[in-house]
Each structure stands twice: as C-alpha cells, then as structure tokens.
Amino acid sequence: MVPPPSPVFPFGWGLSYSTFKYEHLRLSSESIDTEGQVKVSVDVTNISKIRGDEVVQLYIRDEVSSVTRPVKELRGFRRISLDPGETRTVELSLGSSELSFLDREMHRVVEPGPFKIMVGGNSDDLIDTTLNVVAKQP
C-alpha cells in the first residue's frame, strides 16, 4: 500500500538550530461565549546548548461546524529568543476574530462547540487542549 502524499517538511519546520520543548499548555478559561476571549499560555524551554530563536505557532480546529473547515488553521504566532536551558511562558489571545468563519450565507460567525487548541514550533509537532465555545446568553 502506498502512503498518502504528504509534504517533506511541515509548515514552520527548521526555523532554528536549537531544540525546544513545549509543555503546560493552558487556557485562562475552559469555556467562553461566542463573543468572548481566552488567553492561551504555554511554557517553552530551550533544551539545546546554544541560544536560539523559536516561532511559537497557535492553531485551531473547529471540531463541529456547519461547513467544512480546515484541519488546522494558524491563528497566531510569536517569535522568542531563549538562552540554553531558559524557559519562558508565551501567551497568545484567541477571540471571536480568530474563531470566526464565513457560513453558507457568507456571514462571519462563531458557532458554539468544541475547538481543539494546538501550540508548537511547526504544524506537526503540537500539544493540544480543548476550548468549549457556548452560545451567548441574552
């Protein structure tokens, strides 16, 4: 059986000569309404013996949607420089502008439901958690 075609390198791969470790992905809230905002935090450690730069990438996946959406959508990034052994907490924000999409009528909407939040140094090597988006209460 022939494996499905895939890129030789994932998006964001090879941007540094250093190696970085991602851990302790957390959200400021596990649930927000459709107009809410959440802070995404992750600890990034340079586990190399040299100073290095890393581009921390934030992706989302809408687990249940009325229209087909991409498996991974890049919704934020931050470039950081770390000394050997240094750990830094990186914060990125997610709100309605990052979670929204165009529905069948071409209106920009945020639909309630679970979103997978993924963070890493490239589009394949990611850690994830779940954000629940609930309908806004009147």
Side-chain angles (χ1 to χ4, degrees), residues 42-54:
V42 64
D43 295 337
V44 182
T45 303
N46 180 349
I47 58 174
S48 299
K49 294 182 180 181
I50 60 171
R51 180 175 177 79
D53 289 353
E54 177 73 331

Side-chain angles (χ1 to χ4, degrees), residues 24 26 40-44 78 80 82 87-91:
H24 304 120
R26 53 209 178 274
V40 180
S41 302
V42 64
D43 295 337
V44 182
R78 173 124 341 111
I80 59 172
L82 296 174
T87 299
R88 183 172 306 154
T89 299
V90 177
E91 287 188 354

Side-chain angles (χ1 to χ4, degrees), residues 1 17 19 29 40 45 47 53 55 59-60 67 69 79 91-93 95 104 117 122 126 130-131:
M1 178 184 273
Y17 291 106
T19 304
S29 176
V40 180
T45 303
I47 58 174
D53 289 353
V55 178
Y59 295 88
I60 67 164
V67 297
R69 294 188 63 186
R79 185 183 186 109
E91 287 188 354
L92 298 156
S93 294
R104 289 182 182 150
I117 309 303
N122 64 64
L126 301 166
T130 300
L131 171 67

